[in-house]
Amino acid sequence: MGSQTPQPNLTLPFKTRVALSFLSAVTDFARRSDGTINRGFMNFLDYKSQPKAKSVNGVSTKDVTVDANRNLWFRVFTPSASSDNGVVPIVIFFHGGGFAFLSPDSYVYDAVCRRFCRRIPAVVVSVNYRLAPEHRCPSQYDDGEDVLKFLAENPAVLPENADLSKCFLAGDSAGANLAHHVAVRVAKSGIRKVRVVGLVSIQPWFGGEERTAAEVRLEGAPTVSTARTDWLWKAFLPDGSDRDHWAVNVSGANSEDLSGLDYPDSLVFVGGFDPLQDWQRRYYEWLRKSGKNAELIEYETMIHAFYIFPELPESSQLISQVKDFITNTISNLN
């Protein structure tokens, strides 16, 4: 009898386990049985970081309003350092949270974008899009696309050394889903003065009616258990839709045909303890089959959203890999 390959064990620092338990408990309590969210409770516990015009650890920040009527705005992170020629790329970032939670000024995402900004270095534009269930699909995709149009029409809101011809879309979890759909829209319609050359997809939140092997095996995983994701998809999708909707099952029967589109080069991250990993690999494989340049990096022992925890060495490693992807993509441009 052949020996079986040993399965990796999930080992996390105590600090990380406490944070995960807290985050899961808070979002569970905030989700009501009638499909709404207790915003007062969430706002009370969602600690906010204020913009800082004076550089802190090599990064300054400011907030820019796009449309006050729908609370569409973004936070600009500007690095003190720059590349050899003084010009820096732009990373347009969409935060995670199941399309229902968090924002660019949430402490965790302010901190993550500061790290990206400083380490790459790049100007990071972190988008505050509308949340579900108050605003359902495709509101979030509309907001993402409108931010790119706003930047094309108002480049002065960015620092002078920000290069709109070297834009990268990026996001984690639901934000990576959003980044994908914005990339499709831009590839189909084009936005003058903004050139999207790359996409960073960190553990993207995709799914479908099927229960994959990873979803069954990791059903009770922190933050993205089956019960939580089912509730969030229902809150996000138009009434009457199921999880094979084009917004969710992006590589399924209702998927967009990418073959004739100028879809950007992509970097996809997957975690071995993420219940969504099978959908993420299908996404990567679909990109490749569609003739697109895509790279897959797997973290065998990591959970969903591991990179937001700076105490994990893998978090710093991921940021270095994003930096390398951006540097290499720019060097290969015509």
Side-chain angles (χ1 to χ4, degrees):
M1 179 182 295
S3 60
Q4 292 184 335
T5 303
Q7 296 297 311
N9 294 318
L10 177 59
T11 304
L12 296 172
F14 177 74
K15 178 181 179 181
T16 309
R17 286 185 278 120
V18 169
L20 284 169
S21 297
F22 176 76
L23 180 60
S24 297
V26 166
T27 55
D28 285 348
F29 187 84
R31 292 184 291 110
R32 298 188 178 111
S33 59
D34 64 358
T36 62
I37 289 176
N38 186 335
R39 290 293 177 200
F41 175 74
M42 280 303 304
N43 292 336
F44 177 73
L45 292 176
D46 183 13
Y47 178 71
K48 304 293 187 181
S49 294
Q50 297 302 311
K52 298 177 175 61
K54 185 177 180 180
S55 180
V56 177
N57 293 328
V59 177
S60 60
T61 57
K62 69 174 182 177
D63 293 345
V64 177
T65 299
V66 177
D67 184 349
N69 291 328
R70 52 178 156 152
N71 196 29
L72 178 58
W73 57 273
F74 55 81
R75 176 160 292 181
V76 181
F77 298 77
T78 302
S80 299
S82 62
S83 60
D84 293 339
N85 62 3
V87 175
V88 293
I90 300 170
V91 175
I92 299 168
F93 181 85
F94 302 101
H95 66 83
F99 289 116
F101 301 111
L102 305 173
S103 63
D105 57 355
S106 296
Y107 175 80
V108 63
Y109 279 111
D110 181 84
V112 159
C113 287
R114 283 180 169 275
R115 294 171 71 199
F116 278 130
C117 175
R118 182 173 58 250
R119 292 270 302 275
I120 292 172
V123 169
V124 177
V125 173
S126 183
V127 179
N128 188 72
Y129 53 86
R130 287 171 289 177
L131 299 178
E134 296 88 348
H135 305 281
R136 292 178 179 264
C137 171
S139 299
Q140 294 75 15
Y141 307 151
D142 294 340
D143 291 349
E145 183 181 19
D146 285 349
V147 164
L148 268 70
K149 291 178 179 177
F150 179 88
L151 292 174
E153 296 167 0
N154 301 274
V157 302
L158 299 172
E160 290 184 358
N161 63 339
D163 191 345
L164 283 168
S165 71
K166 298 180 178 66
C167 285
F168 292 79
L169 301 179
D172 69 313
S173 194
N177 174 302
L178 203 166
H180 161 72
H181 286 290
V182 171
V184 171
R185 288 189 176 198
V186 172
K188 292 172 72 173
S189 63
I191 298 177
R192 292 185 60 192
K193 301 180 182 179
V194 173
R195 183 185 181 192
V196 175
V197 298
L199 186 149
V200 177
S201 188
I202 304 172
Q203 299 178 281
W205 194 40
F206 299 130
E209 284 296 302
E210 173 193 352
R211 294 296 188 206
T212 67
E215 286 175 313
V216 173
R217 185 175 72 254
L218 301 167
E219 181 179 3
T223 69
V224 285
S225 65
T226 301
R228 294 185 187 104
T229 56
D230 282 358
W231 191 98
L232 290 166
W233 283 130
K234 187 175 181 180
F236 169 71
L237 288 169
D239 288 335
S241 302
D242 65 21
R243 294 189 304 275
D244 283 328
H245 188 276
W246 56 264
V248 183
N249 192 351
V250 296
S251 58
N254 300 314
S255 65
E256 188 80 38
D257 181 6
L258 298 186
S259 57
L261 298 180
D262 186 19
Y263 191 89
D265 293 356
S266 302
L267 176 62
V268 182
F269 289 98
V270 174
F273 283 92
D274 186 347
L276 307 179
Q277 62 187 274
D278 292 334
W279 296 109
Q280 294 158 1
R281 291 192 191 94
R282 289 182 190 181
Y283 169 63
Y284 161 76
E285 292 163 0
W286 172 63
L287 291 178
R288 299 279 293 182
K289 289 176 182 177
S290 299
K292 307 307 169 187
N293 294 325
E295 178 184 356
L296 181 71
I297 296 179
E298 300 205 34
Y299 282 84
E300 187 180 45
T301 61
M302 286 294 102
I303 56 170
H304 191 77
F306 70 90
Y307 88 108
I308 68 172
F309 300 101
E311 65 270 17
L312 299 178
E314 293 83 355
S315 172
S316 181
Q317 183 180 347
L318 181 145
I319 292 176
S320 294
Q321 290 165 332
V322 170
K323 174 181 179 176
D324 291 344
F325 170 74
I326 290 175
T327 300
N328 293 336
T329 301
I330 292 173
S331 67
N332 292 330
L333 292 176
N334 295 326

